[in-house]
Amino acid sequence: MQFCPYRVSHHCLGMQEEQFWILLSKKITGEASPQELRMLDILLLADPSRVTMMENLEEFWNSSSPKEKAAAAQNAEEAFLNHMNRLKSAKLEADGELHPSISPFPEKKIPFYKNQLTYWLGSLLIILGLVIFFASVDKKEQMVKVVPNQAGNALNEVSISPGSRSKIQLPDGSHVWINSSSKISYSKSFSSKSREVYLNGEAYFEVVHDPAHPFIVHTAAIDVKALGTAFNVKAYPNDPTVEATLIHGSIEISRPGQPDAPKIMLKPHEKLVLNRNPEPRVSGETAKTSRIEYTNAASVSLLKRNRPDSEIVETAWVYNKLAFEDEKLKDITRKMENWYKVKITIESSRLGDYTLTGSFIKENLDEALKMLQYLVPFKYSVNGNEVRIYE
Amino acid sequence: MLPNDKIKNLLNRISTSSCEKSYKELFISLHPSLTGFAESILHSPEDAEEVVSDFFIQVWINRQQYSQILNPRIYIYISVKNLSLNKLKSRKRAGVSTAAEIEWNARMNKIFFNPEELLMSQEVVSSLMKAINELPPRCRTIFKLVKENGLRYQEVAGIMEISIKTVEAQMAIALRRIKANTEFLKEFPELQYILSQKNS
């Protein structure tokens, strides 16, 4: 049986056309019932050329853009990082009070982690720390030893060898992430009177709040005093500069042996760079920050805002990430030497002055060098622990 | 759009074991569609981003309650719609407080199909995008929810508080206009001839 609606009556063509498009859209979108599909077939018999048109539309409908999908996923990843920052501050503001019933962790048991979110974020950091810790324990690269200091008091000392990182917890509950080739020491009587640690190298501190006992980090060039706060101190003896970066809370920085020198207070997301050389000179790293003050050899600058902690270059290493931003290749290879426990020589000053931004997470040395090759046209050779970079 | 069962699974894991991996997966997979949807109400990408983030903050804070939802797809869209309406109110756009008063205006700023696969020339692509962007705003929103966000007609009707008949009619208008503005095979007359021979 053939049924040709176009021959039935001409004055209801408009209606029919509308009905045809509703049925066709429903078929294409998978919404049509079996009766509707049959009805559509009948309408198509009247004009078979429309079958091709329908197939084309159907193909168009089912096509998707892999490129745009990948871009959307990338965009969502970035949005998720921003979202986690907002979630963190939303929970800190609420501080468990708005939703007291939802936390399965009563404050009495875990006073430091006031609500489940901080608990959760904290555990994430601890797990991360443990991973780093065990990774380094495995290689027997972390050394904890007790040595007497000049005054005869015993000191606990933690040394991290080149190429590894570690995390420890101090007796007061504060956490310290120690970067490679660094050493932390603190007295046996830590936390009973005062909380003082000695740092040689780089470490990130998350200090338990205790106004009665200020937490002090001593380095050769600066002393950093904190109450309850998170900050990074970089004081490698061979680096030309000493740096202190504050993530949250507040810290006060003074020069040891100079009680009259003005103390510098940092606000969150500020960074202090101090030149060891008496002559002030602008360090290469200030390019990535907008400087707000410059006194003598010290400068305070503001970190880029609205970034999750793991994206901040100064603290990326805590997240097992080697990050660099607008840094010269020769400075990046210095970081890589520490990170991968190798010696890297750049045999061309032209190559060394290339400025790059990026980060390595899981890349091994060879993969990292290959990534750099995408950005800088160089050749390299690896011989044991020595890497040569040349044109 | 993820199927209801998949979303239920993720919500369950977030709800019962505070699974942050599931939380991230849910966020990443819903983020593109939900921000587009919120933007069609708020007409501002920044506000849309904030509303979607606010919604996920609620999901985390009240996660215990999220294991019981029967139809999470509709629930999620309606939550985002309500948060968007609150945001409109806070922006003091007096008068907009119900779904009926929303000036729906979804934007199609990206290509959501694969021109290479469809053998489309650059001209066809731009005339197609033009056709879609010249659809009436509400029609474009319905089209986007069905095509890009993968919602069923019934879900769109529930979310936008309109009848299924309206969704059917608007989808028909959209596809008809798209067809009128793009002749897919105009560069391949031979192919069209062969195909029409085959079908007759």
Side-chain angles (χ1 to χ4, degrees):
Chain A
M1 185 194 80
Q2 273 216 354
F3 174 72
C4 191
Y6 280 84
R7 289 197 201 118
V8 180
S9 82
H10 281 273
H11 69 264
C12 64
L13 254 181
M15 270 292 288
Q16 220 128 45
E17 190 63 5
E18 212 170 284
Q19 193 56 31
F20 170 79
W21 277 100
I22 285 176
L23 292 174
L24 184 115
S25 328
K26 287 181 99 171
K27 178 179 160 55
I28 288 174
T29 56
E31 297 275 353
S33 68
Q35 288 102 312
E36 285 169 326
L37 288 176
R38 240 174 294 136
M39 187 62 205
L40 182 65
D41 281 345
I42 290 167
L43 291 174
L44 282 169
L45 279 174
D47 190 355
S49 73
R50 288 186 153 192
V51 173
T52 312
M53 182 273 290
M54 183 182 75
E55 282 169 353
N56 285 332
L57 264 181
E58 213 158 12
E59 215 181 309
F60 158 75
W61 184 265
N62 293 323
S63 160
S64 72
S65 167
K67 243 187 264 169
E68 292 300 343
K69 268 194 182 158
Q74 177 64 35
N75 185 29
E77 284 277 353
E78 279 162 28
F80 182 71
L81 291 176
N82 287 332
H83 165 71
M84 289 310 284
N85 269 354
R86 287 187 77 230
L87 177 63
K88 203 165 153 185
S89 50
K91 276 301 277 182
L92 290 177
E93 265 167 41
D95 209 12
E97 281 160 31
L98 286 176
H99 313 276
S101 59
I102 64 149
S103 170
F105 301 96
E107 270 195 37
K108 275 175 224 153
K109 280 189 193 160
I110 309 164
F112 179 59
Y113 300 112
K114 286 193 182 136
N115 53 49
Q116 205 182 346
L117 180 75
T118 31
Y119 176 82
W120 174 62
L121 290 169
S123 352
L124 261 184
L125 288 180
I126 291 166
I127 292 164
L128 192 68
L130 283 176
V131 169
I132 302 169
F133 178 83
F134 284 119
S136 51
V137 162
D138 240 18
K139 297 179 214 150
K140 296 190 175 68
E141 276 165 335
Q142 183 190 336
M143 283 168 51
V144 182
K145 57 182 181 186
V146 179
V147 292
N149 69 0
Q150 296 98 320
N153 296 328
L155 276 177
N156 284 323
E157 193 173 89
V158 183
S159 297
I160 306 302
S161 52
S164 58
R165 291 163 294 285
S166 182
K167 190 209 163 200
I168 58 165
Q169 186 170 19
L170 296 173
D172 69 330
S174 297
H175 296 281
V176 187
W177 284 257
I178 310 168
N179 207 345
S180 84
S181 315
S182 302
K183 194 168 82 182
I184 282 270
S185 47
Y186 53 94
S187 94
K188 281 256 158 177
S189 61
F190 182 92
S191 94
S192 60
K193 286 200 305 267
S194 67
R195 302 185 287 173
E196 297 186 39
V197 300
Y198 300 84
L199 168 68
N200 189 321
E202 180 168 22
Y204 176 75
F205 298 87
E206 285 201 352
V207 176
V208 172
H209 190 69
D210 180 4
H213 301 103
F215 189 103
I216 302 168
V217 181
H218 297 283
T219 72
I222 54 171
D223 290 341
V224 182
K225 185 168 129 190
L227 298 173
T229 189
F231 59 98
N232 191 69
V233 177
K234 188 174 164 195
Y236 283 109
N238 298 327
D239 276 0
T241 59
V242 182
E243 296 178 15
T245 306
L246 180 63
I247 303 303
H248 55 81
S250 76
I251 54 176
E252 183 187 275
I253 296 153
S254 56
R255 306 288 303 268
Q258 299 180 22
D260 298 332
K263 294 185 166 105
I264 300 168
M265 294 285 293
L266 286 194
K267 291 192 205 72
H269 290 98
E270 281 183 356
K271 169 179 167 181
L272 172 106
V273 180
L274 183 80
N275 272 297
R276 289 175 191 276
N277 308 340
E279 290 209 11
R281 88 194 159 86
V282 182
S283 89
E285 290 197 41
T286 52
K288 63 170 168 278
T289 46
S290 54
R291 208 160 352 113
I292 53 175
E293 198 183 310
Y294 188 85
T295 49
N296 292 330
S299 71
V300 175
S301 54
L302 208 55
L303 305 179
K304 279 191 179 163
R305 286 184 168 277
N306 298 327
R307 282 192 177 190
D309 293 356
S310 63
E311 300 291 309
I312 296 172
V313 172
E314 283 75 9
T315 53
W317 66 270
V318 176
Y319 300 84
N320 240 358
K321 199 160 158 183
L322 173 63
F324 41 92
E325 192 167 315
D326 290 334
E327 285 173 55
K328 288 188 173 160
L329 183 64
K330 58 186 178 198
D331 297 322
I332 298 165
T333 51
R334 273 183 65 94
K335 285 184 171 181
M336 289 170 69
E337 286 183 331
N338 243 334
W339 197 261
Y340 295 111
K341 201 181 166 180
V342 290
K343 175 99 186 72
I344 302 176
T345 324
I346 303 176
E347 292 174 352
S348 144
S349 60
R350 198 181 70 87
L351 286 176
D353 283 336
Y354 269 94
T355 306
L356 307 169
T357 296
S359 64
F360 301 128
I361 304 169
K362 289 184 192 124
E363 285 84 358
N364 62 30
L365 176 66
D366 204 50
E367 289 164 341
L369 286 165
K370 290 219 162 70
M371 261 180 74
L372 289 176
Q373 273 185 319
Y374 281 114
L375 306 166
V376 184
F378 65 74
K379 300 190 179 78
Y380 70 90
S381 67
V382 183
N383 184 8
N385 275 340
E386 292 192 11
V387 181
R388 272 176 60 231
I389 290 179
Y390 53 94
E391 288 196 58
Chain B
M1 184 72 184
L2 295 175
N4 264 332
D5 282 350
K6 175 79 181 154
I7 300 180
K8 272 189 202 171
N9 256 335
L10 291 173
L11 283 174
N12 252 329
R13 258 177 277 155
I14 295 166
S15 189
T16 53
S17 54
S18 301
C19 174
E20 68 259 15
K21 215 179 132 216
S22 305
Y23 184 68
K24 183 175 181 183
E25 189 182 338
L26 190 68
F27 183 99
I28 303 269
S29 46
L30 297 184
H31 177 268
S33 342
L34 289 182
T35 44
F37 173 67
E39 207 187 321
S40 70
I41 301 172
L42 292 160
H43 312 169
S44 147
E46 291 82 4
D47 285 358
E49 194 71 55
E50 212 176 291
V51 159
V52 171
S53 170
D54 284 348
F55 167 71
F56 276 96
I57 287 175
Q58 281 192 5
V59 170
W60 185 260
I61 291 179
N62 304 317
R63 60 190 174 283
Q64 261 82 351
Q65 298 154 23
Y66 276 76
S67 58
Q68 308 297 331
I69 294 159
L70 286 173
N71 194 334
R73 276 160 66 118
I74 291 207
Y75 178 90
I76 288 168
Y77 273 88
I78 293 194
S79 303
V80 170
K81 182 180 76 178
N82 290 338
L83 287 170
S84 302
L85 282 171
N86 290 345
K87 185 125 209 140
L88 278 184
K89 262 187 247 169
S90 75
R91 286 202 314 217
K92 299 213 170 61
R93 287 230 176 139
V96 181
S97 54
T98 65
E101 292 163 312
I102 294 173
E103 297 167 38
W104 296 100
N105 189 10
R107 291 188 309 151
M108 285 282 181
N109 36 15
K110 289 182 191 113
I111 299 178
F112 48 90
F113 49 90
N114 192 343
E116 282 109 8
E117 193 185 38
L118 299 168
L119 304 172
M120 275 186 195
S121 69
Q122 196 51 51
E123 293 88 32
V124 178
V125 170
S126 43
S127 102
L128 182 55
M129 289 309 283
K130 192 161 164 280
I132 291 163
N133 278 318
E134 280 170 6
L135 289 170
R138 197 176 62 141
C139 178
R140 191 165 62 232
T141 305
I142 293 168
F143 177 81
K144 187 172 178 167
L145 285 175
V146 178
K147 166 76 174 114
E148 268 198 274
N149 297 13
L151 293 176
R152 314 286 308 178
Y153 280 14
Q154 194 162 12
E155 292 172 321
V156 174
I159 291 161
M160 292 179 72
E161 295 176 42
I162 50 181
S163 71
I164 291 200
K165 288 272 165 245
T166 309
V167 179
E168 286 178 357
Q170 296 294 316
M171 283 302 294
I173 291 172
L175 283 169
R176 199 171 170 180
R177 289 252 199 120
I178 286 166
K179 191 255 153 190
N181 280 274
T182 52
E183 286 156 42
F184 290 90
L185 292 171
K186 77 175 171 195
E187 293 148 317
F188 303 98
E190 321 83 358
L191 189 57
Q192 193 165 26
Y193 174 75
I194 294 163
L195 285 170
S196 61
Q197 290 296 303
K198 198 183 86 183
N199 285 311
S200 54

